[in-house]
Amino acid sequence: MTDKARTTLFGILKLIPFAIVTAMIVLFWLDDFRGFMLAIFFFWITLPAVVLSIVFFIMGLRWRDIWQRIAVVWGGLNLLILILYFLVQTPNQRCNPDIMAKHYEEHHTEMEELHQYVQSAIADSCEITLEFNGNKLEMFDVDNQDNYLHYGEKEAILHKDSLLLIAGLSQEEYDNICKQLKDMGCIGIEFSQFIPERLKIRFRRVGWGLYTYTILNRPMSDEEKASAMNNWVAIPYNDHCWFNFHGGAVGQESFPEKVKEDFLKKHKPW
């Protein structure tokens, strides 16, 4: 192999980490949660790629040959795209109590109507969890005491008909729930006929975290008020609603203490 061919080969190999980083950033743009999951799962590839990209970018600043120039330009573009990702996130990629409060004020009537609809539609002695991504079913859990069935993504779609039958839902009722959630900008519900006065509406997923509304068709009891005030995963909003945040395996597990305190200073629930 000639020196020129060897230089070309090494130059191309040095660009592979930049291509991997670009692919990671594109995945984050398309779906930040799945992008993060893939980055963690393939950390033995993604971590060296990030480190090597930084090293080759710094080395390339000397601009000794065309490959180093390409590395600098590519690395600069990756950095620019990453900065834009954090600056120009879509509304669904962020959430906080103020966003939840504004959304609730705009859609609380639809939330109450959904509560009534779900309560009348679900079979007695049954609990369900439904989650959608647009019109696509992402999760379907059913518990009717005799069976507890939990399915995500492809399995939920595959077993949907049998799950609907167990939950006592017709296809029309299922479609109506999906449409009502989509119309109010929410992604799912959690409901139990053992606590029919309560409906949990899944509002938004951000990374590993899930933001939800707990809706009551009656005023909160003193015990529920105290629980919402003292539980960091909850922020009471009014007599009929409180906000929830549940984290995942990575990141915060509840509302930060200061976030909850600052919100309650601005908004008194009762």
Side-chain angles (χ1 to χ4, degrees):
M1 182 181 292
T2 64
D3 290 342
K4 183 177 181 181
R6 188 179 296 108
T7 300
T8 300
L9 177 61
F10 288 155
I12 293 174
L13 290 175
K14 286 181 179 179
L15 297 181
I16 293 177
F18 294 95
I20 294 173
V21 171
T22 300
M24 289 169 54
I25 296 173
V26 170
L27 283 173
F28 275 105
W29 272 97
L30 295 175
D31 190 322
D32 57 345
F33 179 71
R34 286 185 171 84
F36 186 78
M37 289 284 289
L38 287 172
I40 294 296
F41 188 76
F42 294 103
F43 74 95
W44 49 277
I45 295 177
T46 56
L47 183 58
V50 171
V51 173
L52 288 174
S53 293
I54 295 172
V55 172
F56 292 154
F57 177 81
I58 294 173
M59 292 174 59
L61 292 174
R62 302 175 186 177
W63 282 32
R64 289 180 177 177
D65 56 43
I66 184 61
W67 299 107
Q68 289 183 330
R69 295 179 184 179
I70 293 174
V72 170
V73 173
W74 200 338
L77 288 174
N78 280 344
L79 181 60
L80 177 61
I81 296 171
L82 187 61
I83 291 172
L84 288 174
Y85 167 77
F86 287 107
L87 292 179
V88 192
Q89 294 185 33
T90 64
N92 287 343
Q93 291 174 310
R94 57 181 181 270
C95 195
N96 58 49
D98 290 316
I99 291 174
M100 296 187 74
K102 181 180 178 182
H103 192 86
Y104 175 81
E105 289 299 331
E106 293 173 352
H107 299 283
H108 66 90
T109 301
E110 296 98 310
M111 292 180 182
E112 293 164 5
E113 292 172 350
L114 177 62
H115 188 176
Q116 295 174 6
Y117 187 82
V118 170
Q119 184 177 349
S120 64
I122 302 300
D124 293 340
S125 303
C126 187
E127 302 177 5
I128 71 163
T129 298
L130 274 171
E131 185 172 323
F132 301 90
N133 182 1
N135 293 323
K136 180 185 175 184
L137 181 60
E138 290 281 324
M139 180 188 299
F140 200 158
D141 295 356
V142 178
D143 186 354
N144 70 345
Q145 294 187 306
D146 295 326
N147 297 288
Y148 171 67
L149 302 171
H150 166 74
Y151 293 108
E153 298 187 22
K154 293 181 180 179
E155 291 86 358
I157 297 173
L158 182 63
H159 297 279
K160 188 186 75 173
D161 290 342
S162 60
L163 292 170
L164 289 176
L165 184 63
I166 295 171
L169 288 171
S170 66
Q171 182 64 47
E172 181 182 2
E173 290 170 330
Y174 167 87
D175 291 338
N176 284 337
I177 291 172
C178 179
K179 183 178 184 305
Q180 290 179 63
L181 285 168
K182 188 176 180 181
D183 288 347
M184 71 174 72
C186 295
I187 63 172
I189 58 167
E190 300 173 32
F191 179 78
S192 170
Q193 287 289 16
F194 298 103
I195 319 174
E197 70 272 16
R198 182 184 302 176
L199 173 70
K200 185 170 285 188
I201 299 177
R202 296 188 169 196
F203 173 46
R204 187 171 293 174
R205 285 191 180 274
V206 179
W208 294 79
L210 174 64
Y211 292 85
T212 65
Y213 298 99
T214 298
I215 307 297
L216 292 176
N217 60 10
R218 54 159 177 78
M220 283 189 206
S221 66
D222 291 339
E223 182 180 354
E224 287 169 332
K225 289 180 180 180
S227 176
M229 289 296 291
N230 296 324
N231 190 343
W232 290 113
V233 303
I235 295 180
Y237 186 68
N238 60 32
D239 270 348
H240 293 81
C241 173
W242 66 81
F243 309 153
N244 302 92
F245 173 81
H246 296 281
V250 177
Q252 65 188 46
E253 296 181 357
S254 62
F255 286 112
E257 182 177 347
K258 190 174 187 309
V259 169
K260 181 170 182 175
E261 290 178 349
D262 289 347
F263 181 79
L264 290 176
K265 286 178 182 177
K266 294 183 297 183
H267 178 86
K268 303 295 184 183
W270 42 73

